[in-house]
Amino acid sequence: MLERSYLGKSFTVTDPDARVRQAGNLMAFEMSSGTLKTIPQATVIRVGAVERLQAGANKVSLFARALQEDGTPLGWTSTNNLQGKFVNETLELLEPAAGSGKFGPNAAWSRGAYIGQIGLVEIVDARTEIERISVDTVAAYLDMVSAAKLSGVTVAINSGFRSYAEQKFLWDGFEKGLPGFNMAAKPGASNHQNGIAFDIAVAGADGNEVYDWLKQHAPGLGFVRTVNGEPWHWEYDPARAQQAVQNHTYKIPTVTK
C-alpha cells in the first residue's frame, strides 16, 4: 500500500505523558475526573486515522486516532508520543489535478525540460515534516528503510520531490546569497524534480552509521550517490546502482568526494 502505511500497523506509546486531545479541537486536552487524560506508556495501539495542523509550508503537527488492538477508541494523541514518531510513515496520495500545467505541484522536470505529471505520496521525514516522493520510488525507498531497520539503522529523508516553484525558491535564495540557503540547481534541472532524488539524513559522511550502511547496502537496493560533495544525495537509479555494484563502489564515477 503506497499511502497510509500506518493502517494495520501496531505502535507503542513511548511518552510517559501521552495526553489525549479533544476530537473537535486538537489543540485542547481531554479531562477525566478533573485530571488530564493520557494513554499509558508502553500501550500498544493501532492508528485509525491521522489529522494535521498546518504550521508552515511543510511543517505540521500530526495527531493519531489511537485504538486498542481490539478496535476500542483511546482518543487522539500526538504522533510524537509514539515510538519512531511516525518517521517514514506515508500519508496521502497526491494525484495530478486535471489540467495541471508544467509549473504545477506534480509537474516533473529533467535536464531543464518538462517531462509530464507524476503521482506523489506524502511521507514523514527525519524532522517529522512532510515531504513528497514519486509513486514510482515509494516501494523501493520503504524496502531500503526496512532493510536498514533490520541492521538497527534508521534511514530517513530530509527532502524528496520538489515542484518547480520550490526549486526556484531554493535557487533564488542561493543566487542572492541569503542566509540559510545552500548551493542549488536551477529550477528544472534538479533531479529532485523528476522523482528519483532523495536527500537522506546522514549528519556527515564516513563514520556516520546511516552513511556507512548506505555505502554498503544502498546500491544493491537500486540507490546510488550521484552528486559530488553531497553525501546525503542519493538517487533511485537501478541501472547506475547495478554498475556501481559491479565496480565495487556506491557512487557514479564523477563523484570523487
Side-chain angles (χ1 to χ4, degrees):
M1 184 175 193
L2 294 179
E3 73 271 26
R4 302 176 191 174
S5 60
Y6 53 86
L7 294 176
K9 284 187 179 181
S10 295
F11 296 86
T12 301
V13 175
T14 54
D15 194 312
D17 187 28
R19 300 181 183 185
V20 175
R21 309 287 181 129
Q22 293 182 13
N25 179 11
L26 292 172
M27 292 303 294
F29 300 109
E30 283 197 13
M31 305 292 290
S32 177
S33 302
T35 60
L36 289 167
K37 186 177 179 181
T38 62
I39 301 174
Q41 188 177 23
T43 299
V44 178
I45 68 162
R46 293 188 181 274
V47 174
V50 170
E51 294 286 349
R52 69 186 82 185
L53 294 179
Q54 201 75 24
N58 63 346
K59 182 67 175 177
V60 299
S61 295
L62 290 176
F63 300 92
R65 182 171 178 264
L67 310 170
Q68 292 181 359
E69 295 210 275
D70 64 2
T72 302
L74 293 169
W76 289 88
T77 195
S78 170
T79 56
N80 287 333
N81 295 329
L82 308 179
Q83 186 174 26
K85 300 184 184 297
F86 241 51
V87 170
N88 285 319
E89 295 299 333
T90 60
L91 303 177
E92 301 302 317
L93 173 63
L94 307 175
E95 295 281 15
S100 296
K102 62 182 181 180
F103 301 116
N106 291 68
W109 289 70
S110 179
R111 299 180 179 180
Y114 168 65
I115 58 174
Q117 301 286 319
I118 62 174
L120 302 169
V121 176
E122 296 177 312
I123 190 167
V124 181
D125 74 5
R127 300 161 298 196
T128 64
E129 297 178 355
I130 295 177
E131 305 293 341
R132 291 147 298 144
I133 55 180
S134 165
V135 294
D136 293 333
T137 62
V138 175
Y141 171 72
L142 292 180
D143 283 348
M144 183 166 67
V145 168
S146 296
K149 188 175 181 180
L150 291 176
S151 300
V153 174
T154 299
V155 167
I157 63 172
N158 285 325
S159 184
F161 178 83
R162 297 179 196 149
S163 68
Y164 191 96
E166 289 168 330
Q167 190 65 33
K168 185 176 186 304
F169 173 76
L170 296 177
W171 167 256
D172 288 346
F174 165 65
E175 280 287 277
K176 295 174 182 176
L178 298 179
F181 286 84
N182 299 317
M183 183 179 293
K186 291 182 179 181
S190 170
N191 278 352
H192 282 282
Q193 292 181 254
N194 66 19
I196 68 171
F198 296 75
D199 283 351
I200 297 177
V202 296
D206 292 325
N208 173 268
E209 67 171 3
V210 177
Y211 185 66
D212 289 345
W213 187 92
L214 290 169
K215 289 196 302 181
Q216 283 188 293
H217 303 284
L221 297 168
F223 291 81
V224 63
R225 258 201 68 190
T226 61
V227 178
N228 220 27
E230 295 188 3
W232 57 85
H233 185 105
W234 295 73
E235 296 183 8
Y236 181 63
D237 189 331
R240 290 201 290 180
Q242 183 58 38
Q243 187 62 56
V245 171
Q246 293 173 2
N247 293 339
H248 304 289
T249 185
Y250 54 90
K251 55 192 178 181
I252 63 174
T254 55
V255 175
T256 59
K257 62 178 178 178

